[in-house]
Amino acid sequence: MERTLVILKPSALQRGLCGEIISRFEKKGLKITAMKMYRFTPEMCARHYSHLTGKSFYPTIEASMTASPVILMCLEGVDCVEVVRSMTGCTNGRKAPAGTIRGDYSMSLLENIVHASDSVENARTELDRFFSAEDYFDYDSPAFNYIYSTDD
Ligand code: ADP
């Protein structure tokens, strides 16, 4: 089963949107297998957004991500990385389609509520950055046979 990292950013926490967003993932049928609160340091922010540290706007990303705690989650499911990215919507909240998380809750390019890993390989790296083996929970979900068919 594929895994991905979701971060409920300070914009989600400060606006009281975490419950609604977690609920969307649950209703979709994705399984939460790890979850914790976390406070980004500038160093961890630079590691997580290493592809953007050279950009002129990077200082605004650091200020935004370190402004308050975040919630880190590991979600599990078939094709989870792609499914969660499509639920998240494109980076700019003003351009993200209605029905996506960013499209429904964000009016901003920077303050766009959630992070979601963009590939299976990056998901692995990002999950390893924040979670260790004992943070994961393996449990049966009685609804499993109603979320997936035998063909999935
Ligand atoms: P995504 O989060 O959609 O995968 P990126 O990895 O390109 O997008 O960017 C990481 C985060 O950096 C974005 O979610 C957004 O918060 C912020 N960001 C990206 N581009 C800009 C920009 N041009 N100006 C301000 N913030 C940006």
Side-chain angles (χ1 to χ4, degrees):
M1 200 62 78
E2 208 165 277
R3 285 174 167 179
T4 195
L5 174 76
V6 168
I7 304 177
L8 306 181
K9 295 183 177 185
S11 48
L13 202 82
Q14 293 296 326
R15 289 178 53 200
L17 296 172
C18 295
E20 281 186 43
I21 295 164
I22 293 167
S23 179
R24 284 185 179 220
F25 293 128
E26 287 182 304
K27 286 176 188 165
K28 178 70 174 167
L30 293 159
K31 189 172 172 184
I32 301 168
T33 54
M35 180 155 72
K36 66 180 175 190
M37 288 191 88
Y38 179 78
R39 184 92 192 214
F40 267 93
T41 60
E43 293 71 30
M44 273 305 253
C45 186
R47 277 175 71 187
H48 186 67
Y49 288 120
S50 60
H51 60 298
L52 297 174
T53 48
K55 303 279 186 192
S56 58
F57 56 82
Y58 180 74
T60 65
I61 295 179
E62 184 187 293
S64 168
M65 291 302 289
T66 57
S68 87
V70 299
I71 292 175
L72 305 171
M73 303 169 68
C74 174
L75 295 177
E76 212 175 274
V78 174
D79 299 332
C80 189
V81 170
E82 190 187 339
V83 167
V84 172
R85 282 290 283 192
S86 71
M87 290 176 75
T88 298
C90 62
T91 310
N92 187 337
R94 292 191 298 279
K95 299 202 169 131
T100 64
I101 293 165
R102 287 167 171 170
D104 288 352
Y105 298 118
S106 168
M107 283 293 286
S108 171
L109 174 57
L110 174 64
E111 301 297 350
N112 59 5
I113 312 292
V114 280
H115 164 82
S117 306
D118 63 3
S119 68
V120 174
E121 194 190 345
N122 283 343
R124 253 187 238 118
T125 306
E126 293 178 355
L127 286 165
D128 287 349
R129 181 172 298 139
F130 297 107
F131 291 112
S132 46
E134 63 269 21
D135 292 325
Y136 292 98
F137 289 82
D138 187 17
Y139 57 97
D140 288 332
S141 172
F144 186 85
N145 291 337
Y146 297 92
I147 294 169
Y148 296 107
S149 79
T150 48
D151 297 336
D152 293 316

